Amino acid sequence: MQNPPAYTAKITDYDRIVSTRTYSAVEADVLISAALCDDDEVSPDADRSGRVTITRVITGRRRALDAERVTLRRTTRLEPIWAPRRLTARQYENLRLIQEREVAPGATLTNGCIRIGVESIPAAATRRLHERGWLTVEPDGTASVSYAGRLAMTLHEHRTETGYMGMNVRVTDALGIGEWQIADPPVPVPLLLRIPLRVSL
């Protein structure tokens, strides 16, 4: 299966030059795993947008003979093409089934369907999960839940437990000056820390 775009990324480089590109779920998983291994900051937004920001900080001298040290940042802001709020209850159950079997015996793509032991996920449902970037398939057919899928699952669980959808709101003062703020109640930080991450490359 070809890997469709799962994220659009806005990259602000060390020299503050901004560029954009797309990442498939597989590419985004590699990027996030490498960032975690390098101890970079990986921050999901505290709402139901599914956005993730990766920040790498370096400190050093611009030239070998410079006395002054400088600190530079590179940020990659990943915006999911398919919002996590579109994850249905059935899709959540399919992803949960795949996630539970990722170690052994594993989930595999066979004739367009995901086979998990004696259970299977139909081809149409498999295709939708893959197109939305919530499911990744290795060249050998091994299927797993992507970081985007894990984030969507965690936010689905939060919505189910609390009934809160979560969204940004526009707040404008008396002078007409506005800004975007996180609606109350925001997704608590402990919930975001529950998102299972894969750090193996």
Side-chain angles (χ1 to χ4, degrees):
M1 298 178 76
Q2 289 188 336
N3 294 308
Y7 288 98
T8 56
K10 178 182 179 182
I11 303 165
T12 305
D13 219 329
Y14 300 115
D15 55 8
R16 298 184 181 178
I17 293 177
V18 178
S19 59
T20 58
R21 59 160 293 180
T22 60
Y23 285 97
S24 68
V26 172
E27 292 169 331
D29 281 4
V30 170
L31 181 69
I32 292 169
S33 295
L36 291 169
C37 287
D38 291 342
D39 206 24
D40 295 338
E41 181 182 344
V42 179
S43 303
D45 278 11
D47 59 11
R48 284 186 55 79
S49 67
R51 288 185 295 264
V52 178
T53 302
I54 301 170
T55 304
R56 170 165 290 193
V57 180
I58 59 172
T59 301
R61 297 177 176 86
R62 290 184 182 274
R63 300 176 186 82
L65 299 179
D66 287 353
E68 183 181 356
R69 294 169 64 86
V70 297
T71 298
L72 302 175
R73 287 175 173 78
R74 183 180 193 269
T75 61
T76 302
R77 187 166 178 79
L78 300 172
E79 178 89 31
I81 293 174
W82 288 90
R85 66 174 57 90
R86 297 187 180 185
L87 183 73
T88 67
R90 182 61 184 170
Q91 289 171 332
Y92 170 83
E93 290 301 326
N94 287 338
L95 291 176
R96 185 181 59 80
L97 186 61
I98 295 168
Q99 186 180 22
E100 288 176 350
R101 302 292 184 90
E102 280 181 349
V103 178
T108 57
L109 180 70
T110 306
N111 297 325
C113 302
I114 297 294
R115 301 289 183 186
I116 310 160
V118 296
E119 300 182 78
S120 66
I121 298 172
T126 297
R127 186 177 63 254
R128 284 191 290 270
L129 291 173
H130 187 256
E131 287 173 350
R132 285 156 176 72
W134 298 330
L135 172 70
T136 60
V137 179
E138 301 295 333
D140 65 355
T142 301
S144 58
V145 182
S146 68
Y147 181 85
R150 292 164 191 266
L151 180 56
M153 290 176 69
T154 301
L155 294 174
H156 178 85
E157 291 166 6
H158 176 66
R159 181 184 64 186
T160 303
E161 293 169 6
T162 67
Y164 173 68
M165 289 296 294
M167 58 185 294
N168 288 336
V169 294
R170 181 78 173 172
V171 178
T172 306
D173 62 19
L175 300 177
I177 299 173
E179 62 180 3
W180 287 101
Q181 295 181 356
I182 302 300
D184 290 328
V187 176
V189 171
L191 175 70
L192 296 179
L193 296 179
R194 281 169 37 202
I195 300 170
L197 306 177
R198 292 176 303 175
V199 296
S200 58
L201 296 176

